[in-house]
């Protein structure tokens, strides 16, 4: 029995494996054979509002396999905030007209906090107006800051990338045997999950002299400089990892260059640049030879080096979204559940969308060392299995074969 | 018949495959079985002057295989300029005392321009004082700027990395379907070999709107802005690659922030930062949404993604250095020779060290388009085969197994 069409879209900043979830949704939908058409929304809710919908029902498996192993969001993305339907219904009327015209009865939204907010509002409005649709959120974020899921698809790959980059930069800068302080600026907005993953490099290079500063710990300039001076005295080849979202005791971002305070449409402050500030601070107070690396967008699109565990779980989250929807579930996000036991195994669960949207999961303080400048073994136990395995990206004449659907 | 000991050392900035040449030297030396000991100089000539020499004769093949696939210089490196022996012999007396004490009769120096300068002076001094030693230079530089060799070990890997990063960043930033100008700052000092390699990304993503600015073409701010405005009008998803060493019509570096003019000991100006300048220029004159990525040291140590062709050739250069030395050759650098014929094949040759040191090979002007903002097919034919193939770095629990010898 065909139960109407399903629509899938992607939203927010891409991760290296966000297309894994798209692949999971489409391939599982094809397998279930329960839908009329499988539709893709181009540029997320924003594009859907404009009627930008592409029929993916006949898309070849060959192309889907390439999509799975391509960086960025293959359907395009958006940063678009739906209004509260209790305040204004205009957008929703437009959106549900598009849904109705396309007989959309299942909607899958792959995204982070803000995307879950949109999914939640769509589900709420549908219930209010009696439009029969199942809405399922599929988590993605390199920041790993979604609540009620053990971790987020996208995080394992950025952790693997960051740790490897730390190893490579540390070895590279050690060649002269002279003093040098590496500064690596990583993303993560208000949480230290990405910064903490750098500690994996120290497990591989035990004499690596590394300090990690995360937004969970108030940044105190004096303590920071004392930490560095002490560490540098012991070993003048020092590696400092800083999260873009470090905050001081007043709750302000440490890096407050005026134009860094432009807010995006969600009210988030656009970050970036804390590395330059830290570099100057170190040069003026600790040591003159500083090598700054700002990973920027590289860390969220390095498909050439993703974690296979992460990619597999991204696919699983997409597949399970289809299964849950066909069970009649709506208004929930798929979660990743870490099974008990000595070996790492991951299954899925569900959580209400409104328990996810607009919250942020921080690194537990008990996973951070007493000095507030490194993570402890609980964090390591958590992150270690997430980076395992390599995915084989199709290559042609030495370069990857990437694709997209829009 | 044993003919004394051989000594190998590394110098200058590492490349991703500089340890491939070290591996080639050591494994070929072991194979030839003609030397007493195989010695490694730690931290290049600087360390050797201090007697920092390690016996590698008994090093295991297992460790050597790991060294081959490790980033950075496994013996450490230096930036050290030997004085002209016609002006001062003090250093040379010290150096040759170390050579003599260790019965060094073969010296292999893996490096770029400046390292070839050191090798040349050592060979010259040895001949003058009648010390029997064969000195062979082995090229390495991501900059690809050594004369009389078709290309340099290290270049193929950075070209592969830069092109892939361009593909990933271009796809990532295209997701919103809104205007954006990517700026990628790459290394290359005074030549555009690295910047030009970004054009490989356009072969894979034909609608990529890309401009490339190289030091071979005088940077004219007005023309640059006009280029960008024109290109942006056609397609508002624009990708601009800039070489760190862009110069203006007066021959000055475009980016002349005061503290960027600190000179290193070779009199080279320490570059970096041109990307920030270009970013501001574009924001003020073309479009406000600019995404700047400065690859920095990442591009020379990304062992997790090297070109197999490049790695194999780095090994070959090391192996051939041993063979040439045993033929009695001295005072020369191994070169890579591109064979004639439709398929890419590479062999080795030799060139006098003094024809290499202190020269720079620029990108031929006839390989750059008329507008001076992209490369043409001659450049593409040149670079295409150099990025082919992937090397399998040993992995453990999702992270690479890297090592070093000091």
């Amino acid at each position: 029995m065909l139960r109407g069409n399903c629509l899938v879209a992607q939203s927010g900043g891409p991760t290296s494996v966000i297309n894994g979830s798209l692949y999971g949704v489409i391939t599982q939908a094809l397998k279930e054979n329960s839908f009329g058409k499988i539709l893709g929304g181009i540029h997320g809710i924003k594009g859907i509002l404009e009627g930008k919908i592409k029929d993916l029902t006949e898309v070849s498996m060959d192309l889907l396999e390439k999509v799975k192993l391509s960086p960025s969001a293959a359907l395009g993305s958006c940063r678009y905030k739906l209004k509260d339907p209790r305040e204004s219904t205009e957008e929703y009327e437009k959106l549900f007209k598009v849904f109705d015209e396309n007989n959309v009865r299942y909607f899958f939204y792959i995204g982070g906090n803000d995307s879950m907010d949109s999914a939640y509002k769509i589900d709420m409005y549908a219930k209010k107006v009696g439009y029969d649709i199942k809405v399922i959120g599929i988590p993605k974020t390199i920041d790993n800051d979604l609540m009620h899921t053990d971790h987020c698809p996208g995080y394992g790959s950025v952790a693997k990338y960051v740790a490897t980059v730390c190893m490579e930069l540390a070895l590279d800068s050690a060649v002269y045997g002279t003093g040098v302080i590496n500064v690596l600026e990583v993303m993560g907005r208000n949480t230290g999950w990405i910064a903490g993953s750098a500690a994996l490099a120290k497990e591989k290079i035990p004499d690596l002299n590394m300090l990690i500063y995360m937004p969970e710990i108030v940044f105190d300039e004096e303590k920071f400089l004392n930490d560095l001076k002490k560490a540098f005295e012991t070993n003048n080849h020092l590696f400092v990892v800083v999260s873009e979202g470090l905050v001081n005791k007043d709750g302000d971002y440490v890096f407050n260059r005026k134009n860094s305070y432009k807010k995006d449409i969600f009210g988030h402050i656009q970050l970036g640049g804390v590395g330059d500030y830290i570099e100057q601070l170190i040069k003026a107070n600790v040591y003159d030879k500083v090598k700054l690396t700002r990973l920027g967008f590289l860390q969220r699109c390095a498909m050439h080096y993703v974690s296979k565990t992460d990619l597999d779980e991204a696919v699983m989250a997409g597949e399970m979204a289809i299964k849950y929807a066909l069970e009649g579930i709506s208004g929930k996000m798929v979660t990743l559940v870490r099974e008990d036991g000595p070996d790492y195994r991951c299954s899925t669960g569900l959580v209400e969308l409104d328990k996810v949207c607009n919250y942020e999961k921080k690194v537990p303080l008990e996973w951070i060392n007493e000095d507030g400048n490194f993570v402890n073994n609980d964090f390591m136990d958590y992150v270690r299995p997430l980076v395992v395995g390599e995915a084989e990206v199709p290559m042609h004449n030495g370069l990857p074969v990437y694709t997209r659907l829009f």
Side-chain angles (χ1 to χ4, degrees), chain A:
Chain A
M1 189 193 73
L2 294 183
R3 322 186 201 188
N5 299 330
C6 77
L7 174 65
V8 57
Q10 297 169 300
S11 173
T15 74
S16 293
V17 300
I18 186 171
N19 290 330
S21 294
L22 178 64
Y23 170 92
V25 167
I26 299 174
T27 53
Q28 190 63 33
L30 288 167
K31 211 179 285 175
E32 296 284 351
N33 206 19
S34 298
F35 304 102
K37 292 179 189 163
I38 301 164
L39 305 172
I42 307 299
H43 297 308
I45 278 295
K46 188 162 178 278
I48 295 169
L49 276 166
E50 296 162 8
K52 290 187 184 158
I53 286 175
K54 186 170 175 171
D55 191 343
L56 303 172
T57 321
E58 303 294 330
V59 71
S60 73
M61 272 309 292
D62 181 56
L63 179 57
L64 283 178
E65 292 294 336
K66 284 198 188 98
V67 162
K68 181 171 92 168
L69 293 161
S70 290
S72 184
L75 291 173
S77 186
C78 67
R79 290 197 177 277
Y80 188 82
K81 196 174 175 72
L82 285 172
K83 291 187 185 73
D84 188 325
R86 289 164 299 195
E87 286 170 17
S88 164
T89 60
E90 198 187 322
E91 272 176 334
Y92 294 88
E93 285 157 23
K94 205 168 161 187
L95 184 67
F96 277 75
K97 190 160 173 281
V98 176
F99 280 179
D100 195 40
E101 282 167 3
N102 290 279
N103 194 25
V104 173
R105 298 297 161 180
Y106 299 87
F107 178 55
F108 303 94
Y109 212 29
I110 310 170
N113 278 319
D114 301 315
S115 316
M116 295 310 133
D117 182 71
S118 293
Y120 171 65
K121 287 170 178 167
I122 291 167
D123 182 66
M124 189 163 63
Y125 183 82
K127 281 169 181 156
K128 194 182 132 202
V129 298
Y131 184 94
D132 181 22
I133 188 169
K134 308 300 171 207
V135 179
I136 302 280
I138 301 166
K140 78 81 218 168
T141 168
I142 63 166
D143 293 351
N144 201 41
D145 60 355
L146 299 183
M147 296 291 284
H148 306 292
T149 181
D150 179 77
H151 55 284
C152 302
Y155 175 59
S157 292
V158 71
K160 182 189 187 86
Y161 180 76
V162 165
T164 301
V165 156
C166 287
M167 291 173 70
E168 292 178 341
L169 289 173
L171 288 169
D172 183 273
S173 60
V175 284
Y176 303 121
T178 50
V180 60
I181 301 181
N182 269 292
V183 174
L184 183 74
E185 178 190 315
V186 299
M187 287 182 168
R189 204 176 287 272
N190 300 316
T191 64
W193 296 105
I194 299 179
S197 68
L200 287 163
K202 190 170 163 63
E203 292 201 321
K204 297 286 170 186
I205 306 177
D207 66 348
L208 183 57
N209 188 14
M210 181 180 256
L211 297 171
I212 300 176
Y213 292 88
M214 295 175 277
E216 284 80 359
I217 304 292
V218 167
F219 184 82
D220 178 318
E221 200 172 293
E222 199 183 319
K223 182 190 169 295
F224 172 78
L225 291 172
N226 282 336
D227 284 1
L228 262 66
K229 283 174 192 164
K230 211 172 104 189
F232 189 74
E233 266 173 35
T234 325
N235 172 348
N236 70 357
H237 186 225
L238 180 58
F239 205 107
V240 182
V241 180
V242 294
S243 184
E244 59 176 353
L246 292 179
V247 289
N248 63 24
K249 66 177 168 27
D250 302 319
D252 294 327
Y253 287 115
V254 164
F255 179 70
N256 58 2
R257 190 174 59 178
K258 259 189 212 155
N259 63 3
S260 77
Y261 267 101
K262 285 190 305 187
K263 288 186 183 179
D264 71 12
I265 49 155
F266 299 112
H268 301 154
I269 289 172
Q270 300 270 11
L271 304 178
V274 70
D276 302 80
Y277 166 77
I278 295 289
E279 179 188 12
Q280 295 310 317
L281 202 62
I282 297 174
K283 280 187 172 175
N285 295 281
V286 185
Y287 193 68
D288 191 46
K289 179 101 182 158
V290 180
K291 290 187 171 183
L292 168 65
T293 306
R294 290 194 326 229
L295 284 184
F297 295 101
L298 295 170
Q299 67 200 291
R300 75 177 195 193
C301 63
M303 185 71 221
H304 71 271
Y305 193 66
V306 295
S307 152
K308 184 161 190 307
T309 298
D310 187 30
L311 180 59
D312 289 347
E313 290 175 355
V315 173
M316 177 172 70
E319 291 169 346
M320 291 305 296
I322 290 286
K323 290 187 186 176
Y324 289 133
L326 287 176
E327 287 173 17
I329 289 161
S330 186
K332 301 202 173 180
M333 183 188 84
V334 179
T335 61
L336 295 180
V337 178
R338 190 182 298 235
E339 305 268 320
D340 289 335
D343 296 325
Y344 175 78
R345 281 178 308 129
C346 181
S347 59
T348 63
L350 287 162
V351 63
E352 287 74 23
L353 286 166
D354 60 342
K355 288 191 175 162
V356 177
C357 56
N358 305 317
Y359 292 98
E360 277 177 335
K361 188 172 78 174
K362 307 251 180 195
V363 176
L365 290 182
E366 58 270 26
W367 289 9
I368 300 173
N369 72 357
E370 255 186 61
D371 281 345
N373 57 22
F374 210 74
V375 291
N376 64 26
N377 201 50
D378 289 335
F379 186 98
M380 301 313 292
D381 286 343
Y382 170 85
V383 74
R384 238 181 256 118
L386 309 183
V387 304
V388 172
E390 290 72 52
E392 268 195 45
V393 171
M395 303 290 286
H396 180 251
N397 288 339
L399 290 174
V401 179
Y402 290 149
T403 190
R404 59 187 174 193
L405 294 166
F406 67 99

